[in-house]
Amino acid sequence: MTRNTRILMQCIYWAFVLYLLVPLFLMMLMGFKDSKFIGFPIRSWTLDWYLGVFNDTAVVQALGYSAVIAVVSTAIALFMGTWIAVALTGRSFWGRAIILGLTLLPAVIPGVISAIAFRIAARVVGMEPGMWAIIWSHAIHNVPFVVLVVMARLSTLPKSYGEAARDLGADPIITFFRVTLPYLTPAMIGGGVFCMLLSFDDFVRSFFLGGYEPTLPVLIFAKLRSGMSPEINAISTIVLVLTALLGLWAERSMRGMSKRAAND
Amino acid sequence: MTDVKDPIVRIEGVTKSFGSFIALHEMNLNIASGEFVTFLGPSGCGKSTTLRILGGFETPDTGRVILNGKDVTALPPNKRNVNMVFQDYALFPNMTVRRNIAFGLELKGLGQAAIKARIDELASFLELTAYLDRRPDQLSGGQRQRVALARALAPDPALLLLDEPLGALDAKLRAQVQVELKAIQRRTNKTFFFVTHDQEEALTMSDRIVVMNKGRIEQDGTPEELYFQPASRFVAEFIGETNLLSGRALAVDQGSAGFDWQGHQLRATSTPGRAALAGGAATASLRPERIQVQRDRPATDNAVQGQVVNRLFKGHRMLLDVAVGETTVQAYTDTDRGRELADGPVWLGWNANSLTLLAD
């Protein structure tokens, strides 16, 4: 590569980074503006919008509601997804491809379609709109991601680990809990964080299946209808920082654990 | 088959196939308590299948495995008093060395104090005391190998299986570990069932070697028996270097035989049961280091004349290619003599016990 093309490549790279980050940066910036209207010029600065978020009970409640939904739906998705991944790995049986296909289907169905389907199904089975309906739809939507990461991890599990455990006196259940499951932990943490972020971020399913209590994205949407205000910027920035921290933590701890396992 | 009194393991008529591939033809074998038995052979010869059947990871199609007088053929690995050192060691990456060694002890239901005592005993024995709180990824290859050994020895198995455990070590360390492993086996007086494709490893450590080929036992004997009295062409070629002479068997007696090779009437030895070879085409094995090379006719049972055509310097000795008639015979000599004999005619001499008549 010549020097000029290298410089050109770097320019393109930084232009792309700018393109990605400028909207986010503007969003954060506007949260500090001491005025009800978003836009330049900024004449004076304030922390009121950020402080206001924590005093807005509706926002705090929605945040808690979203967090509970994210945690519970992720727990269900992890349980189901790991179970399916383990069941599908290591042996071939009739219908394996069909089960795998059906498991992965929710990940590719458009959100609106699946939300409507869930809504209809909820009514058929007599499930009230609300938290459990949202959790149910989020869990099913997230199972495929767990299955994929756990299966990828399982495929690197040396067969001899399980055999060594059996050899040393462990029955299949002890072998699973003491050898297989610890080996899957990094993938489960990664998959779990991803599920939480997906659930936290979800608007369509939460909107269709929700009751009177709004999740955070639904609340933001409702607030938008009464006009854009810097408070929304402040909420969004806080959520951005929290999710970025969560993602970073998951990435780091996962890398450490996978490295340890891979080195052995 | 070697006669074993009071065997700890009896393999009786065991066969195993995978699809159309026959991994083991009917196998019968007894292993004595405290023996270091090595299964030696190329990949696909059935040695690993035998090991996995003993460990309980494969079920034989027919036959029985008797351990300590009890039929264990249908028992899963966790119900057998047999432990294994895996080729990749299979140390649990999420556990420290201590937890790895404790694994089998906990499952045996030992108390905390007993577990600790056993770990300390093994750790000091295998020089692992300083590493007990490390994780497997913080250990060197040799240390991991010792942890795998400690973990497998911890539950005090009646039989220890070792699946090519030295394959991952470099050559120098491997030589050292061979000596250590043999010493450990002597001190613990455990029965070791070792699987390898490395003939040198097998010769160094074993009390007894079982050479496998294509799912059958080719020969079963002490390392010296195998080396000096190979029963078949396969064994002669697989273990060490050898010259295979093609000729005709003459009279075959109990133990001794005549062998016609390019018109030379040679005296050879034969293992029992080779009488049928008499009068027909046959092959004989002659180890290169058992040949004397000199200018004058040597006073050995057999002597032939030849011409040195090539020399290979190997440090403390030299490998000579000597043309005899239409074939070339390889012979080792010490380096000084090799230099003197560089050109000109030489005599090759060897005794009857160095020329072994083989079954093809």
Side-chain angles (χ1 to χ4, degrees):
Chain A
M1 216 190 298
T2 69
R3 193 157 166 271
N4 284 338
T5 48
R6 204 162 52 228
I7 290 170
L8 183 71
M9 295 289 276
Q10 291 216 342
C11 288
I12 293 172
Y13 170 75
W14 285 111
F16 187 67
V17 169
L18 225 60
Y19 168 75
L20 285 177
L21 293 184
V22 161
L24 288 177
F25 180 71
L26 280 178
M27 180 188 78
M28 292 182 193
L29 196 69
M30 291 302 164
F32 293 102
K33 190 185 174 187
D34 189 6
S35 157
K36 261 202 166 293
F37 303 99
I38 292 171
F40 289 106
I42 299 175
R43 295 217 169 73
S44 63
W45 303 85
T46 180
L47 279 174
D48 287 352
W49 297 117
Y50 280 90
L51 297 174
V53 168
F54 298 102
N55 294 325
D56 187 335
T57 43
V59 172
V60 174
Q61 268 177 14
L63 197 71
Y65 190 56
S66 280
V68 168
I69 288 171
V71 169
V72 177
S73 69
T74 296
I76 296 170
L78 276 178
F79 180 77
M80 293 298 299
T82 305
W83 187 1
I84 293 170
V86 170
L88 290 181
T89 301
R91 54 191 155 239
S92 57
F93 49 89
W94 190 90
R96 183 181 178 278
I98 298 170
I99 294 175
L100 183 62
L102 285 175
T103 308
L104 300 184
L105 201 59
V108 292
I109 291 177
V112 179
I113 311 276
S114 84
I116 293 169
F118 275 119
R119 177 89 204 197
I120 295 167
R123 171 140 359 123
V124 169
V125 301
M127 191 184 248
E128 289 289 311
M131 188 172 83
W132 287 105
I134 300 175
I135 286 173
W136 175 50
S137 71
H138 284 188
I140 289 180
H141 179 245
N142 289 347
V143 162
F145 301 103
V146 176
V147 171
L148 286 176
V149 288
V150 172
M151 276 180 93
R153 180 77 179 157
L154 264 179
S155 70
T156 68
L157 172 69
K159 204 171 137 221
S160 60
Y161 285 14
E163 287 183 348
R166 296 299 308 278
D167 187 62
L168 292 163
D171 60 31
I173 293 166
I174 296 175
T175 302
F176 177 77
F177 281 106
R178 294 202 54 188
V179 176
T180 313
L181 204 57
Y183 188 82
L184 296 180
T185 309
M188 289 172 70
I189 291 178
V193 168
F194 189 63
C195 288
M196 278 201 238
L197 296 180
L198 279 178
S199 163
F200 203 76
D201 175 56
D202 176 73
F203 172 76
V204 185
R205 288 174 195 83
S206 306
F207 184 74
F208 275 74
L209 291 161
Y212 297 109
E213 208 179 345
T215 65
L216 193 66
V218 173
L219 181 76
I220 292 173
F221 180 72
K223 278 179 174 288
L224 276 176
R225 278 197 291 195
S226 57
M228 194 78 188
S229 113
E231 191 198 4
I232 292 170
N233 293 34
I235 297 170
S236 309
T237 305
I238 291 167
V239 170
L240 178 76
V241 170
L242 287 178
T243 52
L245 285 177
L246 185 64
L248 276 177
W249 170 79
E251 202 272 336
R252 291 198 62 149
S253 67
M254 223 167 81
R255 199 189 314 164
M257 285 167 101
S258 316
K259 205 173 129 207
R260 194 148 68 214
N263 275 355
D264 179 61
Chain B
M1 189 168 124
T2 310
D3 233 6
V4 176
K5 285 198 180 65
D6 214 8
I8 193 158
V9 178
R10 295 212 311 266
I11 300 175
E12 295 179 348
V14 163
T15 61
K16 180 73 185 172
S17 332
F18 298 101
S20 61
F21 175 73
I22 301 170
L24 282 183
H25 295 273
E26 193 179 318
M27 172 180 279
N28 290 289
L29 189 82
N30 288 340
I31 298 171
S33 179
E35 217 177 3
F36 195 128
V37 184
T38 298
F39 261 51
L40 175 68
S43 55
C45 70
K47 58 187 195 298
S48 295
T49 305
T50 312
L51 176 108
R52 291 179 64 80
I53 286 174
L54 288 175
F57 300 108
E58 306 285 354
T59 314
D61 299 337
T62 63
R64 301 193 304 164
V65 177
I66 314 286
L67 178 69
N68 264 338
K70 206 178 114 205
D71 187 341
V72 297
T73 319
L75 288 184
N78 49 321
K79 299 269 173 65
R80 296 181 182 206
N81 193 15
V82 173
N83 288 127
M84 180 152 156
V85 176
F86 287 80
Q87 194 167 9
D88 60 359
Y89 310 143
L91 301 177
F92 306 128
N94 55 312
M95 300 181 201
T96 60
V97 171
R98 188 190 299 279
R99 306 283 307 151
N100 264 283
I101 301 174
F103 194 90
L105 299 170
E106 287 165 3
L107 288 164
K108 264 188 116 180
L110 265 65
Q112 285 304 315
I115 291 176
K116 195 184 176 306
R118 181 73 177 140
I119 292 174
D120 289 343
E121 180 196 353
L122 281 163
S124 73
F125 177 48
L126 291 167
E127 292 168 32
L128 287 167
T129 311
Y131 311 111
L132 280 177
D133 294 312
R134 295 208 190 162
R135 285 181 190 275
D137 65 323
Q138 296 165 314
L139 301 177
S140 72
Q143 289 162 352
R144 282 184 213 181
Q145 199 262 342
R146 293 212 297 280
V147 175
L149 194 60
R151 187 178 69 176
L153 283 171
D156 201 27
L159 173 69
L160 189 77
L161 307 173
L162 300 106
D163 187 9
E164 308 211 15
L166 310 186
L169 306 178
D170 63 61
K172 203 169 176 181
L173 189 58
R174 193 189 298 205
Q176 184 195 329
V177 172
Q178 282 175 21
V179 178
E180 283 175 11
L181 207 54
K182 179 69 195 164
I184 289 164
Q185 189 265 337
R186 281 220 186 93
R187 280 181 60 187
T188 54
N189 204 27
K190 282 260 168 266
T191 313
F192 275 34
F193 185 97
F194 191 92
V195 159
T196 184
H197 63 269
D198 184 321
Q199 46 102 6
E200 203 186 306
E201 221 166 82
L203 292 175
T204 315
M205 293 189 290
S206 319
D207 296 324
R208 178 176 161 206
I209 299 176
V210 178
V211 180
M212 296 280 296
N213 185 30
K214 294 178 184 159
R216 290 180 208 277
I217 295 176
E218 283 274 337
Q219 195 174 357
D220 174 359
T222 65
E224 294 192 16
E225 277 168 15
L226 258 68
Y227 190 81
F228 293 117
Q229 290 136 40
S232 67
R233 189 191 182 108
F234 178 83
V235 176
E237 279 185 308
F238 197 77
I239 294 177
E241 299 164 80
T242 200
N243 294 293
L244 292 174
L245 310 182
S246 307
R248 278 165 51 79
L250 305 172
V252 178
D253 255 346
Q254 194 72 344
S256 71
F259 188 65
D260 176 83
W261 178 58
Q262 301 191 10
H264 299 286
Q265 308 293 311
L266 305 176
R267 287 171 58 197
T269 52
S270 88
T271 40
R274 299 272 175 273
L277 291 170
T283 307
S285 161
L286 176 61
R287 299 284 180 197
E289 74 279 4
R290 304 281 276 187
I291 304 175
Q292 292 177 33
V293 190
Q294 54 193 69
R295 285 275 182 241
D296 315 316
R297 190 192 162 99
T300 45
D301 294 344
N302 301 303
V304 296
Q305 255 188 314
Q307 188 85 25
V308 177
V309 290
N310 196 18
R311 296 184 303 167
L312 260 172
F313 177 60
K314 299 231 172 183
H316 63 294
R317 54 186 191 168
M318 204 173 252
L319 183 64
L320 301 178
D321 286 350
V322 182
V324 181
E326 302 134 31
T327 55
T328 304
V329 173
Q330 293 196 311
Y332 275 113
T333 178
D334 61 72
T335 301
D336 287 339
R337 174 167 296 177
R339 283 211 194 90
E340 286 167 26
L341 299 173
D343 39 36
V346 291
W347 279 93
L348 301 179
W350 65 89
N351 286 321
N353 61 9
S354 301
L355 186 65
T356 313
L357 207 56
L358 301 176
D360 245 333

